Amino acid sequence: MRDLYSNIGTALALVPAVKTAAGEGPAIDTHGFNRVAFVVNTGAIAGDGDFGVKVQESDTDQSGDFTDADASVVKSNAPTTLEANSAYKLGYTGHKRYVRLALTKAGGTSIAAGAVAVLSDAQKRPVA
């Protein structure tokens, strides 16, 4: 069996918490890696919470420079409205150095959610 642990990097993409508004996660620097995927997990939804998630990209880590990644560079099994107690994956195949997740809100009260970025195909191994 190959050692996955030494060949991937991880970064917090959405702080796990009860979310009541739309918001963005921190910038994820993909430097040194050729691939990135996000793992999103959800918990309870209150008040018919209608939340979604999308990938944003940028050449810088400045918040105002991020734009929504084109659908052609995002692979996702996340529905438009996230469901309670679920897990989803989103893959980014674009070429921008920085990526992040954005939680969207179309209505309702709240959702418990969090996410992690998994960086792979490292240029230097083992990954610290």
Side-chain angles (χ1 to χ4, degrees):
M1 168 135 331
R2 294 190 176 147
D3 173 20
L4 181 61
Y5 173 86
S6 298
N7 293 301
I8 62 170
T10 58
L12 186 63
L14 284 177
V15 175
V18 174
K19 312 288 187 179
T20 59
E24 297 84 26
I28 308 295
D29 188 353
T30 64
H31 183 71
F33 296 90
N34 293 315
R35 298 180 183 160
V36 62
F38 296 94
V39 179
V40 178
N41 56 62
T42 62
I45 295 175
D48 295 323
D50 186 355
F51 290 82
V53 66
K54 61 185 175 181
V55 176
Q56 295 183 324
E57 62 184 2
S58 177
D59 289 320
T60 76
D61 64 353
Q62 301 302 304
S63 185
D65 293 343
F66 279 85
T67 59
D68 293 350
D70 188 86
S72 66
V73 297
V74 176
K75 295 180 181 180
S76 174
N77 69 348
T80 303
T81 298
L82 300 175
E83 297 178 13
N85 306 318
S86 298
Y88 305 104
K89 60 184 178 178
L90 295 94
Y92 174 73
T93 60
H95 299 284
K96 301 286 184 173
R97 178 170 173 176
Y98 297 92
V99 293
R100 71 179 181 189
L101 285 182
L103 189 68
T104 62
K105 181 181 179 183
T109 304
S110 66
I111 186 170
V116 174
V118 179
L119 300 141
S120 69
D121 196 10
Q123 294 169 1
K124 293 183 181 179
R125 296 180 192 139
V127 176

